[in-house]
Amino acid sequence: GNSVTQMEGPVTLSEEAFLTINCTYTATGYPSLFWYVQYPGEGLQLLLKATKADDKGSNKGFEATYRKETTSFHLEKGSVQVSDSAVYFCALSEWSGGKLTFGQGTILTVHP
Amino acid sequence: GAVVSQHPSRVICKSGTSVKIECRSLDFQATTMFWYRQFPKQSLMLMATSNEGSKATYEQGVEKDKFLINHASLTLSTLTVTSAHPEDSSFYICSAAGGRGLKTTEAFFGQGTRLTVV
């Protein structure tokens, strides 16, 4: 079956630091890959996605590249802000819009 | 982007009572809706998939008689937690997908419902 593994948190950074959250996946087919963000007390928001190998998703300064050879979709941001503090979920779907398999989530805290 | 509204955002109920959570797609027709459950500091676990006009498909280990799902129209799905117990306290999130009226078939999430059973 499908599975997603994220680096364990929590991750604590100072403002303007570089962020990497690792994500690897196992899938039988060719899934679409997603990063979702959940701010305190809220639901999930799509942060970025990639639908095929070598695609790069980007949004709000965050980036992730779909690496089929390493089955990875690591999330990166060059300079984090306090407002980026949230829980980040890596996820995959066998078809765009289908049911999602989530990683365990990574709590990010950014200090001023 | 597409909007999914979930109601209520928070609910506290007494043990033994039933609670209904609504999930509405406001500006598109959702042929498929998904219900997830999130335990504190854990990931989201898919509970069931519902397609408009047909019975929901439940994931292994989810009690269908306890978590009743109805998807009566293309814009509304409901989850009813029957005879709730404290162990049912959790964060429940729905997502909707479908594509009608949308450029893609991406799934959009509601805001979530925090259920506390006392």
Side-chain angles (χ1 to χ4, degrees):
Chain A
N2 297 336
S3 67
V4 177
T5 303
Q6 278 179 246
M7 75 184 264
E8 291 194 22
V11 174
T12 303
L13 296 173
S14 297
E15 206 165 24
E16 298 184 4
F18 183 85
L19 168 70
T20 299
I21 301 178
N22 289 339
C23 172
T24 57
Y25 68 90
T26 302
T28 53
Y30 300 94
S32 295
L33 301 175
F34 305 84
W35 276 100
Y36 283 87
V37 58
Q38 184 180 32
Y39 297 102
E42 297 184 16
L44 271 71
Q45 300 175 29
L46 178 65
L47 181 59
L48 53 85
K49 68 177 181 181
T51 58
K52 61 183 188 296
D54 299 326
D55 269 2
K56 177 187 283 188
S58 61
N59 184 28
K60 299 181 181 179
F62 291 90
E63 292 183 341
T65 301
Y66 190 142
R67 301 287 187 198
K68 189 171 183 295
E69 63 276 14
T70 54
T71 61
S72 64
F73 193 54
H74 305 321
L75 181 68
E76 297 182 336
K77 186 174 185 181
S79 176
V80 293
Q81 305 299 312
V82 173
S83 57
D84 294 326
S85 298
V87 183
Y88 292 82
F89 292 94
C90 185
L92 69 81
S93 175
E94 292 283 7
W95 60 273
S96 181
K99 67 179 183 180
L100 291 156
T101 300
F102 286 90
Q104 60 268 51
T106 302
I107 300 172
L108 170 66
T109 303
V110 180
H111 292 297
Chain B
V3 179
V4 175
S5 177
Q6 194 172 334
H7 178 80
S9 58
R10 294 178 183 273
V11 58
I12 301 173
C13 70
K14 291 185 178 180
S15 187
T17 61
S18 295
V19 173
K20 180 184 284 189
I21 302 169
E22 292 186 348
C23 181
R24 293 182 184 272
S25 55
L26 297 185
D27 50 3
F28 69 102
Q29 293 180 318
T31 53
T32 307
M33 287 189 174
F34 305 91
W35 287 96
Y36 295 84
R37 181 174 179 177
Q38 184 181 28
F39 292 97
K41 299 184 179 180
Q42 295 187 30
S43 188
L44 287 79
M45 302 301 295
L46 180 67
M47 298 174 66
T49 303
S50 73
N51 293 293
E52 184 263 339
S54 62
K55 290 184 179 180
T57 302
Y58 289 82
E59 296 298 302
Q60 192 173 8
V62 178
E63 299 175 61
K64 60 181 67 176
D65 293 332
K66 180 164 189 62
F67 298 100
L68 301 178
I69 292 172
N70 184 279
H71 192 164
S73 76
L74 285 170
T75 59
L76 175 64
S77 176
T78 59
L79 167 67
T80 301
V81 183
T82 62
S83 187
H85 292 285
E87 57 265 32
D88 299 324
S89 298
S90 193
F91 194 59
Y92 294 87
I93 306 178
C94 71
S95 72
R100 297 188 196 185
L102 291 176
K103 292 181 181 179
T104 71
T105 54
E106 177 182 330
F108 296 89
F109 283 82
Q111 308 94 313
T113 297
R114 172 74 60 194
L115 170 63
T116 303
V117 184
V118 297

